[in-house]
Amino acid sequence: MLGGVFIGVGTGILLRFRTSTGGTDLLAQLLSRMTRLNVGVIIFMMDALIIMIGGIFISIETLLLSTIAIICVGIITSLCTWNLKSNS
């Protein structure tokens, strides 16, 4: 959970200043501009899809821990980028 919080804060700060790590968050920024969804929510949905697909190949324990981590990342990133659209 703590790792998810740290990743969420880091990603949220990057997205707040309109930068990205070049991964799925770059795609999430583009999708966020085309939709009304918060970029953190889009990142969460993409990560959840990846974890669900990967669930076929990983153990249940790893799947549950990954799910907890992406929930923390999604919540914290959303909080960090909450008013981002109104400031643009």
Side-chain angles (χ1 to χ4, degrees), residues 34-47:
M34 294 187 298
T35 64
R36 293 181 181 258
L37 291 175
N38 181 291
V39 68
V41 173
I42 296 172
I43 289 173
F44 170 73
M45 291 187 315
M46 286 191 290
D47 287 347

Side-chain angles (χ1 to χ4, degrees), residues 54-86:
I56 299 168
F57 304 107
I58 59 178
S59 69
I60 294 297
E61 181 182 349
T62 303
L63 178 69
L64 292 175
L65 291 173
S66 298
T67 303
I68 292 169
I70 65 163
I71 289 171
C72 292
V73 170
I75 290 170
I76 298 299
T77 303
S78 293
L79 290 174
C80 288
T81 60
W82 187 256
N83 290 326
L84 200 55
K85 283 210 179 251
S86 62

